[in-house]
Amino acid sequence: MYPIAPPLLGWFYANRRTLPFREDPTPYHIWVSEIMLQQTRMTAVLPYYERFMKALPDIPALAACPTETLHKLWEGLGYYSRVNNLQKAAQVVCEKFGGELPGDYETLLTLPGIGPYTAGAIASISFGLPCPAVDGNVLRVFSRLYCDEGDITDPEVKKRCTERVMAHQPPDSPGDFNQALMEFGALVCTPRSPDCAHCPLREICEGAAAGCAEELPKKAPKKERKTQKVTVAVVRGPLGVLLEKRPEKGLLAGLWQPYMKEEDCTEAEMLTSLATLGIRCRKTGDLKPARHLFTHIEWQLSGWMLETDDAPDLPENMTWAKETDGDMYTLPSAFGAYRTLILP
Ligand code: SF4
């Protein structure tokens, strides 16, 4: 295929967005921005990125940050395992590499939460190393450019795409080339309605020539999500609202939630369960049904507002949160529908 780097880079230098991590692409900045951008849109990420960098300007600050503060900085972005891994990796970097990310693709891959894409982005953008950074955007662009009908969830297809990226990557500007591909996928060769009419690669795009660009990439259908009933009790007592910390492993690890059961539970069963903690409640209202989508599971939430006069000592993983304690507890967005009822 005709080289894509010259027209792509020409387009990139003329059209790239000004982004804070692009202006100062240190390994730490690129790392945090790439982790935030997994599963989250650029416009949503930018204010989080600015706030995060202000609070935690370097890797030692991230490594030492108390968990509650860290989760607060991430609150609303979701997928908290990302930030938990970010901190674990920062701690390893402080212990083994003197607080600086290693400038080596293979070593980056050994750090928690850093996969081939993130390692490639850091290595190429911050260290200028010739590495691929192939994410969904790049797979889409290359499937279209080569009119490749292979299933992009197939490792062989991804390998083929990675080889094509590297065949086009100019050795003197791997970071710019990778960023140009990401930007091009986000702004021109978009998942729906790619702007083929104004595309700098139009002349060499085999997908556009074959008239099937928008049908690419091909992807095996996702498995259906399982549904799970979740019964929530927003319990208000003399000391505040009852909150419970989730286990340190698994879904929403270590985050706070209202008292709840991950099952369909009757009002009587919920009241009995609370009574075993010494909390006798009366119902003051129903919670409107809500749902929350995780990657593999859909929660269907419902439940009640309850009131109690009791304030017994609680197990270690529970607390009474006052209305003014909003800054101390990170509630996952799964409870967004009830948030104002829990911590106004
Ligand atoms: Fe994408 Fe269309 Fe450009 Fe091909 S011509 S690379 S499909 S925007």
Side-chain angles (χ1 to χ4, degrees):
M1 176 180 279
Y2 191 80
I4 67 164
L8 180 69
L9 285 170
W11 171 86
F12 178 60
Y13 295 137
N15 294 284
R16 62 180 162 188
R17 292 169 290 183
T18 305
L19 301 170
F21 35 90
R22 217 175 250 168
E23 297 309 297
D24 186 13
T26 66
Y28 180 53
H29 291 168
I30 295 300
W31 177 32
V32 171
S33 65
E34 289 300 344
I35 298 293
M36 284 185 171
L37 284 164
Q38 289 167 8
Q39 331 254 15
T40 312
R41 298 169 74 85
M42 181 71 81
T43 44
V45 158
L46 289 176
Y48 280 93
Y49 175 83
E50 301 277 11
R51 199 165 54 123
F52 196 92
M53 283 304 156
K54 216 168 173 186
L56 306 172
D58 53 32
I59 294 177
L62 168 58
C65 182
T67 309
E68 287 305 333
T69 310
L70 191 64
H71 286 167
K72 254 314 182 208
L73 288 167
W74 207 263
E75 190 174 20
L77 278 175
Y79 301 98
Y80 285 84
S81 57
R82 293 184 292 172
V83 72
N84 294 336
N85 278 332
L86 203 55
Q87 184 171 52
K88 270 187 222 151
Q91 288 162 349
V92 174
V93 168
C94 287
E95 276 161 31
K96 288 195 180 168
F97 305 109
E100 299 288 345
L101 276 171
D104 163 51
Y105 178 79
E106 296 299 332
T107 313
L108 285 168
L109 275 178
T110 65
L111 294 169
I114 297 192
Y117 170 75
T118 310
I122 299 168
S124 63
I125 300 170
S126 301
F127 294 109
L129 298 173
C131 299
V134 176
D135 66 350
N137 268 322
V138 177
L139 286 168
R140 180 175 64 255
V141 170
F142 270 76
S143 295
R144 290 172 175 175
L145 282 173
Y146 280 82
C147 198
D148 188 332
E149 301 208 338
D151 171 359
I152 55 166
T153 61
D154 176 347
E156 274 307 308
V157 175
K158 194 165 176 189
K159 190 166 160 249
R160 183 158 78 219
C161 176
T162 304
E163 284 164 4
R164 287 171 175 162
V165 169
M166 291 312 285
H168 284 279
Q169 188 181 79
D172 57 346
S173 47
D176 281 0
F177 181 74
N178 284 345
Q179 289 186 88
L181 276 177
M182 295 168 196
E183 193 78 334
F184 179 72
L187 299 181
V188 180
C189 196
T190 46
R192 290 203 192 103
S193 309
D195 190 7
C196 300
H198 301 103
C199 173
L201 308 179
R202 176 79 176 85
E203 296 301 314
I204 47 180
C205 177
E206 294 173 15
C212 64
E214 214 171 334
E215 288 146 38
L216 298 172
K218 300 279 187 216
K219 210 181 198 178
K222 275 191 191 156
K223 279 191 204 147
E224 261 192 38
R225 282 192 186 92
K226 275 197 244 160
T227 55
Q228 163 119 55
K229 298 272 185 199
V230 174
T231 313
V232 177
V234 177
V235 181
R236 197 164 287 283
L239 298 181
V241 170
L242 182 61
L243 293 185
E244 182 178 15
K245 197 171 196 185
R246 291 184 65 84
E248 292 301 330
K249 285 215 161 85
L251 192 66
L252 304 176
L255 300 178
W256 291 91
Q257 63 185 23
Y259 192 74
M260 59 167 247
K261 304 277 177 197
E262 286 179 41
E263 60 186 296
D264 198 5
C265 155
T266 64
E267 188 184 327
E269 285 166 341
M270 183 61 92
L271 292 176
T272 305
S273 169
L274 284 158
T276 60
L277 294 167
I279 305 170
R280 290 154 304 161
C281 295
R282 53 199 171 269
K283 180 175 133 181
T284 54
D286 294 322
L287 295 174
K288 64 173 192 264
R291 62 185 202 130
H292 184 79
L293 302 180
F294 296 97
T295 315
H296 303 297
I297 196 165
E298 172 183 333
W299 271 7
Q300 296 177 345
L301 305 104
S302 60
W304 307 278
M305 300 274 299
L306 304 174
E307 208 171 58
T308 182
D309 298 324
D310 299 326
D313 287 342
L314 294 170
E316 230 175 53
N317 64 328
M318 291 187 185
T319 189
W320 295 105
K322 294 188 211 62
E323 287 193 1
T324 49
D325 287 347
D327 282 349
M328 285 169 55
Y329 301 102
T330 304
L331 278 183
S333 51
F335 304 102
Y338 309 141
R339 204 200 144 86
T340 53
L341 300 171
I342 302 166
L343 286 173

